[in-house]
């Protein structure tokens, strides 16, 4: 069965520091991978997605993620975090033969000035 | 500019009193989803419509129903809300049912049961 693991429940960084949020998936075939961000009391917004091709994908708000098949990972990165990046981040996986996304449990990012 | 609109943003209902949450979209997408998200948890898919075709998740309680009268609107009905149904309810749409199409989410309706 498909599953997504986000090992870090809560991460705190200083503004301007670099960021990496971890995501590991379990799926037999090539997955479709997504990162969504959710600000408090809001819906989810897509940051970036990977379907195929270049394993380093660029997203909105200066985020990028790298698909590593050998590690079953799709970690999200940002070189310099801004206070406005404080939010909940969800990794999700889908596949060509399913209608739905499976979400991880999320990582809450806190940014200190 | 809002493409997926959920009303109301906040809903308070009494234990056992039926409640309806609404979702509308301006994207003309074929697929509409309803997710339940409890505090500090991942969104959990309740069901989705592909056009008029209703697809219920196996573990969605019978207490939850949905209607999609036309392409633009979709409703979530909770027949007898319990305290455990208090959550954020998220509506999402996508162009196609395959999981490789982007899902667009509304801002959610936070349901409180008293």
């Amino acid at each position: 069965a498909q599953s997504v693991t986000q090992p870090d429940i809560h991460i705190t960084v200083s503004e301007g520091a670099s960021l990496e949020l971890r995501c590991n998936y379990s799926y037999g075939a090539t997955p479709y991978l997504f990162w969504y961000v959710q600000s408090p009391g809001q819906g989810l917004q897509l940051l970036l997605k990977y379907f195929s091709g270049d394993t380093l994908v660029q997203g909105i708000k200066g985020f990028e993620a790298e698909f590593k098949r050998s590690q079953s990972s799709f970690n999200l990165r940002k070189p310099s975090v801004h206070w406005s990046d404080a939010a909940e981040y969800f990794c999700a996986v889908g596949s060509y033969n399913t209608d739905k996304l499976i979400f991880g449990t999320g990582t809450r990012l806190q940014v200190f000035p | 500019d809002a493409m997926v609109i959920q009303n109301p943003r906040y809903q308070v209902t009494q234990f056992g009193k039926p409640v309806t949450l609404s979702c509308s979209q301006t994207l003309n997408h074929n697929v509409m989803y309803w997710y339940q998200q409890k505090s500090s948890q991942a969104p959990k898919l309740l069901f989705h419509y592909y056009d008029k075709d209703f697809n219920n998740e196996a573990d969605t309680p019978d207490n939850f129903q949905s209607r999609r009268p036309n392409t633009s609107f979709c409703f979530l009905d909770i027949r007898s809300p319990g305290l455990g149904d208090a959550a954020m309810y998220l509506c999402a749409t996508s162009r196609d049912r395959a999981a490789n199409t982007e899902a667009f989410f509304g801002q959610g309706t936070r349901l409180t049961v008293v």
Side-chain angles (χ1 to χ4, degrees):
Chain A
Q2 297 176 64
S3 67
V4 180
T5 302
Q6 293 181 246
D8 304 306
I9 297 173
H10 188 198
I11 284 184
T12 301
V13 299
S14 298
E15 190 170 20
S18 63
L19 173 70
E20 182 169 31
L21 303 182
R22 295 183 291 166
C23 173
N24 294 97
Y25 67 91
S26 173
Y27 190 65
T30 299
Y32 302 135
L33 295 161
F34 305 81
W35 274 100
Y36 283 86
V37 61
Q38 185 179 33
S39 297
Q42 302 295 316
L44 279 70
Q45 180 184 22
L46 181 69
L47 284 176
L48 46 78
K49 59 192 176 189
Y50 172 78
F51 295 158
S52 65
D54 192 347
T55 56
L56 183 64
V57 293
Q58 303 296 322
I60 62 171
K61 305 185 179 185
F63 286 92
E64 66 176 27
E66 186 171 13
F67 171 59
K68 293 185 176 180
R69 184 188 301 276
S70 62
Q71 298 177 20
S72 297
S73 69
F74 188 58
N75 294 348
L76 181 71
R77 300 194 294 249
K78 187 170 184 177
S80 178
V81 171
H82 188 263
W83 64 266
S84 60
D85 293 324
E88 187 96 21
Y89 291 80
F90 291 95
C91 182
V93 64
S95 71
Y96 70 92
N97 62 349
T98 182
D99 299 336
K100 60 187 180 183
L101 295 175
I102 306 297
F103 285 89
T105 51
T107 297
R108 181 168 297 278
L109 174 65
Q110 191 170 9
V111 180
F112 281 114
Chain B
D1 287 329
M3 296 176 286
V4 182
I5 303 166
Q6 292 188 243
N7 284 303
R9 291 289 312 279
Y10 302 91
Q11 175 73 58
V12 180
T13 190
Q14 291 180 331
F15 182 95
K17 183 176 181 181
V19 64
T20 295
L21 310 181
S22 74
C23 177
S24 64
Q25 55 137 337
T26 60
L27 298 163
N28 203 35
H29 281 172
N30 289 319
V31 192
M32 295 188 77
Y33 306 84
W34 279 105
Y35 288 85
Q36 179 192 62
Q37 185 182 23
K38 295 189 176 180
S39 182
S40 301
Q41 295 185 21
K44 177 181 177 298
L45 183 64
L46 295 174
F47 26 60
H48 74 277
Y49 275 94
Y50 180 78
D51 196 13
K52 297 180 181 180
D53 181 27
F54 178 70
N55 297 270
N56 198 31
E57 293 299 300
D59 57 354
T60 297
D62 293 339
N63 197 26
F64 291 85
Q65 304 287 319
S66 186
R67 296 171 284 133
R68 188 178 186 186
N70 54 53
T71 300
S72 300
F73 286 88
C74 194
F75 300 98
L76 170 62
D77 301 308
I78 308 176
R79 294 193 295 189
S80 181
L83 298 179
D85 297 327
M88 174 78 91
Y89 290 88
L90 297 168
C91 174
T93 73
S94 65
R95 176 177 48 82
D96 199 355
R97 67 194 309 169
N100 65 343
T101 57
E102 179 180 349
F104 292 81
F105 284 81
Q107 292 186 301
T109 294
R110 181 163 298 283
L111 178 68
T112 301
V113 182
V114 297

